[in-house]
Amino acid sequence: MRGSLSLMCNWAKIGLLLLMVSISGCNTLKKVGDDELLLTKNTIYVDDEKVTDSEIKGLIDQKPNSSVLGYPLRLNLYNMAKENPDSSFQDWLHRKDKREKRLNNLLSKKQVSRLQESFIVKGASEFLKRVGEPPVVIDTALTNKSLNRMEAYYNSKGYFNNYGDYEIVESSRKKRAQVAYNITLNNPYIIDTVQKNITSPELDSIYNVTSKRSFVKKGEQFDLQNFTLERERLTTLFRNSGVYNFQESSINYDILRDTTLAADDQLMEVQLNIKKFRSATDSTDANSPYRVARHKQVNIYADYDINGDTDSLKTLEYDNFVIHYANKLRYSPKALTDAIFFEKDSVYRDLDRIRTYRQITNLNTFKYPNIEFIPDSSQTELTTNVYLAAKKKFSLNMNFDVTHSNIQQVGTAFSTSVITRNVFGGAETLNVSARGSIGLLSDASLSNETFTSELGGDINITFPRIWLPFSTEKIIPYYMLPQSRLSAGTNFQKNIGLDKQSLNSILSYNWTPSDRLKNNFELLNVEFVRNVNPDNFYNVYRNTFSNLDDIADQFQDDPAYADYFKSVDDSTDPLRLDIPDGANAFVQAVLNNEIPVTADELDEVNSIEERRRRLTENNLIFASNFTHTKNSKSDINDNDFYQYRIKFESAGGMLSLIANAVPYNKNDNNQLLVFGVPFSQYVKSELDYIRHWDIGGSQVLAFRSFFGMAVPYGNSNSIPFVRSYFAGGSNDNRAWNAYELGPGKTDNINDFNEANLKLAFNLEYRFPIAGDVKGALFADAGNIWNVFDNENNPDAIFTGFSSLADIALGTGLGLRYDFTYFVFRLDVGFKTYNPAKVGSDRWFNGYNLGNAVFNIGINYPF
């Protein structure tokens, strides 16, 4: 609660400040001295050509004040701060006679003194200075520093004879100027010869095998970055070739110019030097040259205690490993050795050390391990010790949340889980969780009860290996962190929709070939959904009921149809179809031609009944799917990366294959039944691609595209609601609420609109505003359609390229508050192009704040 109040206060402050700025129209030059110039722009010219490279621009020490869409917001906020708020308050206090006396009588002298220290007087100025930005006044010392940095940069690229200068160009506008940097490169230096001086014969042999991969090559332009890359390459090479103690500091280069050449010949001689090993306590090179080492013995301490006595431990030899343990070994020897990638008599590889750390951490059974390498006197044999300290066998987690949705005015949710480690001795992890919630319904007509409730639980067990009857180690080795997960869960909802009960069970395998690649294969994903209260359909899907009731209105005064209606307290429509009996009976009478309606009305009633049957029927989904994900993001601060996710899913195929061997029952629609429920049969594919561009100045351009399609076949003519697509919402097209957009050019015909084909495109420009407050401008395009299913409304069906005209466009702006660990987000979306409208009304119809859609979210949408 305290965090929420703090957030509200900060948003209130920012809103107040923005209002003050817009009203006052601050003077940008207010705090720029008469003999000073405000920096408005930097320009860099290299050999008379303008440079826009962000890396080179980053060398400039003084940059113009930041702006939001061209407006120097932070500068103007800073200018609003008073230089001496105490003096200003005193001036105001004594500006009128008897003002101080009246305030003293009203508040007391002590309170008036405190008023001076308050946020209104002093705190406001401090806050403005903190979130604001002082004017960037041209400083020639910093300009010279920037010029020197650019000259040094081009020196590192081989232009040792470059030189530069700068020019301050005053603007026609008062007290403003630009700085133009001019760099002349001259000819670059070229590497003529590359020689080597490697003290270790073994390192020399390793180097010769891979010398063609060197980043420093004869005939190429000198570039200091290539020398850095080569040092890193050699360090990795040697450490993965047996030299466990190799130090990057042992590598250096001698770079000389051939003095026998003419003065204008820009050729260089390079010599690679690799010195002997030098210990941290030795200042000489007296130690022996680097040697290739092998693992003489690999010890695993399964019950390591940093304060304990390892000599008293018992030992067990298993698969060329020596396992040390106290009393009784609690772990399967294979589970321990599978996590260690060092092998007896094998050459040391640093890659094996990294993989061992990753796999042991991935087991979630041990604390971060300690690995020790003890060399013999010749430095060629290692005793390798892996120390493992167990985590607590049991751990308890509890969570409490307050929620809000379009169904619940307010809700509370509680969840708890118990984690048990090393369940069967093979480093397995068992997670048993339970959850419950209760909420207040936002619409009393949705149920006879006032509150909603939900209760559920899950059992999840994780094995640190691929759990199959055959070995998969050759295609999915243990360094890929393979896991098998078996889970089962159930969930009960009361007074939410149709009061669903669900059972689910999943057997999945996941592995990580690298830090950037992830694979997940769900061999079995079984879900059973039972609608406990199907008679509540017309209460939940109010738009569907309204369409049906509108058709029935023409018969409400006929006594022959009186049984279908009930009286309601509504002067505009005193009679309404009775839910559920009257509505269901009316539909059946229309479909049986017992009530005369037009052909269009008959089609509408038939569509309503098909939708009711579909959404109230129980679902059995027996699926398998595979998901492949790649993410090029290097760390949390990387704003220039791409990410994609590909998913394929198939449901019902296995059950259909055994139809000839198993005598399935069938329903009236000739669908095969399992446990009395028709199983779903479909194929589904998805592609999700995200790309971020860092455009400098903490500005990011983010793009996302999504394509998904699910095609029913065989035992199904539609996709289960839980596996279909919807459009709109805080992470999709933000100009529409969730489930409100589509399908196609239809205009919100259902309460929860969904379909089996989806296209979505999002573009967002993110920029800083002040302090932890960020801003965004976005454009969201996309829609959903029906395809290859039982939908018969042509406005909802995708028919080809012509249907792309149904792609909706929403634009808007957003504010974000960065809490470091998460981002609070508020987005305002406007319907820019609405395919549900006709003609020119599609564009900018209702493009105003009154018709805007407000979305609140946590973290960025993509």
Side-chain angles (χ1 to χ4, degrees):
M1 181 64 72
R2 184 175 300 173
S4 300
L5 290 175
S6 175
L7 174 63
M8 293 173 63
C9 290
N10 284 326
W11 279 110
K13 291 176 184 177
I14 295 300
L16 177 62
L17 291 174
L18 291 174
L19 179 62
M20 293 169 65
V21 169
S22 63
I23 294 174
S24 62
C26 283
N27 183 1
T28 303
L29 303 175
K30 181 178 179 180
K31 295 183 180 180
V32 178
D34 293 336
D35 57 345
E36 295 177 327
L37 294 172
L38 182 70
L39 177 62
T40 59
K41 187 178 182 181
N42 289 314
T43 311
I44 304 172
Y45 296 95
V46 176
D47 287 342
D48 297 326
E49 291 188 8
K50 189 174 181 180
V51 173
T52 58
D53 190 291
S54 59
E55 182 181 4
I56 300 173
K57 283 186 171 183
L59 300 172
I60 299 177
D61 199 67
Q62 260 196 324
K63 296 179 176 62
N65 288 99
S66 61
S67 62
V68 178
L69 304 178
Y71 178 74
L73 174 62
R74 295 188 65 189
L75 172 58
N76 283 338
L77 290 175
Y78 185 88
N79 286 340
M80 290 172 61
K82 294 185 179 297
E83 293 294 333
N84 193 340
D86 291 333
S87 299
S88 300
F89 178 76
Q90 290 296 327
D91 291 341
W92 172 81
L93 188 62
H94 298 101
R95 193 172 301 160
K96 289 186 178 182
D97 295 339
K98 300 181 180 180
R99 174 177 284 174
E100 182 178 11
K101 184 178 180 180
R102 286 197 300 270
L103 281 176
N104 288 338
N105 292 333
L106 179 64
L107 302 175
S108 82
K109 187 174 182 179
K110 186 177 181 179
Q111 292 297 329
V112 173
S113 178
R114 287 184 177 179
L115 181 62
Q116 183 172 337
E117 300 295 325
S118 69
F119 169 83
I120 299 174
V121 178
K122 195 172 183 178
S125 291
E126 292 176 353
F127 177 75
L128 288 167
K129 288 182 178 180
R130 185 170 68 253
V131 301
E133 188 178 70
V136 178
V137 176
I138 294 177
D139 185 336
T140 55
L142 296 177
T143 306
N144 281 304
K145 180 181 177 181
S146 301
L147 186 64
N148 292 335
R149 291 170 69 178
M150 281 186 273
E151 290 175 342
Y153 171 82
Y154 284 107
N155 277 335
S156 73
K157 298 299 180 183
Y159 297 98
F160 294 109
N161 297 324
N162 84 83
Y163 62 89
D165 58 17
Y166 66 85
E167 180 183 6
I168 298 175
V169 183
E170 293 193 36
S171 171
S172 58
R173 301 175 66 189
K174 183 182 178 182
K175 293 196 291 186
R176 294 176 172 88
Q178 303 180 15
V179 176
Y181 295 90
N182 300 284
I183 306 293
T184 301
L185 297 180
N186 292 316
N187 293 330
Y189 277 73
I190 306 298
I191 297 174
D192 184 41
T193 60
V194 180
Q195 301 175 353
K196 58 185 174 68
N197 175 27
I198 303 177
T199 57
S200 168
E202 293 183 68
L203 262 61
D204 187 65
S205 298
I206 297 170
Y207 174 82
N208 288 336
V209 173
T210 64
S211 59
K212 291 183 179 180
R213 302 175 191 171
S214 174
F215 289 96
V216 179
K217 297 179 180 178
K218 177 181 178 180
E220 293 191 354
Q221 182 175 326
F222 176 91
D223 189 337
L224 190 60
Q225 179 66 20
N226 288 337
F227 287 85
T228 301
L229 293 174
E230 180 63 3
R231 291 182 65 186
E232 294 174 352
R233 184 188 76 86
L234 292 177
T235 300
T236 301
L237 171 66
F238 295 144
R239 288 180 178 173
N240 283 311
S241 301
V243 189
Y244 79 98
N245 59 345
F246 186 80
Q247 301 168 337
E248 188 174 318
S249 58
S250 297
I251 305 174
N252 64 46
Y253 288 90
D254 291 331
I255 301 174
L256 303 171
R257 183 181 181 277
D258 191 344
T259 57
T260 63
L261 298 174
D264 57 348
D265 286 333
Q266 313 292 324
L267 299 178
M268 310 182 72
E269 296 178 353
V270 173
Q271 179 171 290
L272 166 66
N273 302 306
I274 301 181
K275 301 178 182 179
K276 299 178 181 180
F277 170 75
R278 177 182 293 176
S279 67
T281 59
D282 188 7
S283 60
T284 69
D285 288 334
N287 290 315
S288 60
Y290 286 107
R291 303 289 301 275
V292 173
R294 295 178 179 271
H295 298 284
K296 178 183 178 181
Q297 180 173 313
V298 181
N299 299 306
I300 303 174
Y301 291 86
D303 295 287
Y304 179 65
D305 183 353
I306 193 170
N307 298 317
D309 180 14
T310 58
D311 295 334
S312 63
L313 297 176
K314 298 179 181 179
T315 60
L316 169 69
E317 291 191 18
Y318 178 84
D319 198 18
N320 290 325
F321 292 88
V322 180
I323 301 174
H324 303 261
Y325 61 96
N327 300 322
K328 180 181 179 181
L329 184 60
R330 293 179 291 168
Y331 311 96
S332 162
K334 179 173 172 52
L336 296 176
T337 57
D338 285 347
I340 311 299
F341 295 95
F342 309 116
E343 295 182 7
K344 184 180 179 180
D345 298 327
S346 67
V347 171
Y348 170 88
R349 297 196 311 167
D350 205 49
L351 181 61
D352 294 332
R353 180 185 63 85
I354 295 172
R355 287 174 173 174
T356 298
Y357 276 123
R358 289 181 64 214
Q359 176 66 337
I360 293 174
T361 303
N362 186 59
L363 292 179
N364 194 28
T365 301
F366 302 100
K367 299 176 183 177
Y368 195 75
N370 181 27
I371 302 177
E372 179 185 35
F373 304 101
I374 304 175
D376 66 353
S377 57
S378 66
Q379 300 286 321
T380 60
E381 292 186 338
L382 300 174
T383 299
T384 303
N385 299 324
V386 181
Y387 300 101
L388 303 176
K391 290 183 177 180
K392 292 181 179 180
K393 187 172 181 65
F394 300 99
S395 61
L396 175 67
N397 296 317
M398 290 186 291
N399 292 295
F400 179 80
D401 296 308
V402 178
T403 60
H404 170 74
S405 68
N406 59 334
I407 295 177
Q408 295 180 349
Q409 289 185 20
V410 65
T412 59
F414 174 81
S415 63
T416 183
S417 64
V418 177
I419 297 175
T420 306
R421 298 180 177 87
N422 195 39
V423 182
F424 305 119
E428 304 87 356
T429 303
L430 175 66
N431 188 329
V432 180
S433 62
R435 59 188 176 274
S437 68
I438 187 169
L440 178 65
L441 273 172
S442 59
D443 187 350
S445 65
L446 296 176
S447 172
N448 295 326
E449 303 293 335
T450 305
F451 290 93
T452 68
S453 62
E454 184 172 355
L455 185 66
D458 297 281
I459 298 176
N460 187 317
I461 186 166
T462 302
F463 301 85
R465 63 194 71 88
I466 300 298
W467 191 44
L468 285 171
F470 53 88
S471 175
T472 59
E473 188 175 351
K474 290 186 178 180
I475 56 175
I476 307 177
Y478 284 106
Y479 73 79
M480 292 186 180
L481 311 181
Q483 287 186 334
S484 301
R485 293 183 178 178
L486 180 62
S487 66
T490 183
N491 197 67
F492 301 88
Q493 292 179 344
K494 181 68 174 175
N495 300 320
I496 304 176
L498 305 179
D499 295 349
K500 294 182 182 297
Q501 294 182 359
S502 65
L503 297 171
N504 62 80
S505 181
I506 299 175
L507 173 60
S508 67
Y509 309 98
N510 63 78
W511 62 98
T512 308
S514 69
D515 290 339
R516 298 183 176 183
L517 292 176
K518 292 184 179 181
N519 296 310
N520 185 73
F521 174 48
E522 291 186 349
L523 178 62
L524 293 175
N525 185 324
V526 181
E527 183 175 10
F528 173 68
V529 180
R530 174 173 174 258
N531 294 297
V532 179
N533 189 11
D535 289 343
N536 202 35
F537 174 80
Y538 288 115
N539 284 324
V540 175
Y541 296 90
R542 303 298 297 179
N543 283 358
T544 301
F545 175 72
S546 295
N547 293 338
L548 180 64
D549 192 58
D550 287 343
I551 297 174
D553 279 348
Q554 58 187 307
F555 305 103
Q556 64 183 12
D557 296 328
D558 191 331
Y561 308 114
D563 292 341
Y564 301 140
F565 298 91
K566 70 174 181 178
S567 300
V568 293
D569 187 15
D570 188 340
S571 59
T572 60
D573 188 9
L575 291 177
R576 195 171 298 167
L577 285 173
D578 185 29
I579 298 177
D581 296 335
N584 290 335
F586 177 79
V587 167
Q588 292 304 317
V590 171
L591 297 180
N592 293 334
N593 296 319
E594 298 172 3
I595 297 179
V597 295
T598 65
D600 289 341
E601 290 173 338
L602 179 62
D603 289 341
E604 175 72 9
V605 172
N606 186 61
S607 176
I608 289 172
E609 177 59 11
E610 285 187 0
R611 179 171 175 79
R612 187 195 67 81
R613 283 202 304 265
R614 180 187 171 213
L615 295 180
T616 58
E617 70 180 0
N618 300 329
N619 295 124
L620 176 62
I621 304 171
F622 202 98
S624 300
N625 63 71
F626 174 76
T627 304
H628 171 71
T629 305
K630 182 175 183 180
N631 191 340
S632 70
K633 192 169 187 175
S634 57
D635 55 59
I636 193 172
N637 297 314
D638 185 3
N639 288 323
D640 200 311
F641 67 94
Y642 69 88
Q643 173 184 320
Y644 69 79
R645 179 182 63 87
I646 301 173
K647 180 177 181 178
F648 300 98
E649 180 171 312
S650 175
M654 188 179 301
L655 295 177
S656 179
L657 285 175
I658 62 176
N660 295 328
V662 177
Y664 289 126
N665 293 324
K666 295 184 180 181
N667 61 11
D668 295 339
N669 296 322
N670 205 34
Q671 291 177 298
L672 302 178
L673 304 178
V674 176
F675 303 120
V677 178
F679 62 85
S680 299
Q681 194 169 6
Y682 61 86
V683 290
K684 185 178 184 180
S685 63
E686 293 179 355
L687 174 60
D688 195 355
Y689 177 77
I690 295 173
R691 180 72 169 93
H692 285 202
W693 293 272
D694 189 339
I695 55 180
S698 299
Q699 301 174 91
V700 175
L701 190 64
F703 170 76
R704 180 195 181 199
S705 61
F706 176 86
F707 168 79
M709 182 170 67
V711 179
Y713 72 99
N715 209 49
S716 298
N717 54 21
S718 63
I719 302 299
F721 183 84
V722 293
R723 300 296 173 93
S724 60
Y725 298 110
F726 70 91
S730 61
N731 295 322
D732 193 64
N733 196 321
R734 285 161 280 186
W736 279 263
N737 291 311
Y739 292 97
E740 186 180 77
L741 174 60
K745 64 182 70 173
T746 61
D747 189 12
N748 195 22
I749 57 175
N750 300 306
D751 298 84
F752 300 96
N753 296 282
E754 43 79 37
N756 63 327
L757 171 65
K758 180 174 181 177
L759 280 174
F761 305 93
N762 308 84
L763 185 65
E764 185 167 285
Y765 166 57
R766 300 167 184 168
F767 53 88
I769 295 179
D772 293 327
V773 180
K774 319 291 182 182
L777 298 176
F778 61 82
D780 301 327
N783 207 334
I784 56 173
W785 294 267
N786 289 89
V787 61
F788 305 126
D789 63 1
N790 62 345
E791 179 61 54
N792 54 22
N793 184 350
D795 290 341
I797 298 174
F798 187 88
T799 57
F801 285 107
S802 60
S803 295
L804 296 180
D806 299 338
I807 291 180
L809 175 63
T811 56
L813 50 91
L815 286 176
R816 291 93 166 85
Y817 192 92
D818 192 346
F819 284 95
T820 304
Y821 297 106
F822 70 94
V823 175
F824 178 82
R825 173 166 53 93
L826 172 64
D827 291 323
V828 184
F830 302 90
K831 294 178 178 63
T832 307
Y833 177 80
N834 187 350
K837 302 295 181 181
V838 179
S840 60
D841 288 341
R842 290 183 168 188
W843 288 97
F844 302 104
N845 185 273
Y847 199 89
N848 53 63
L849 198 59
N851 292 301
V853 175
F854 293 84
N855 291 283
I856 294 177
I858 300 297
N859 293 327
Y860 292 104
F862 54 89

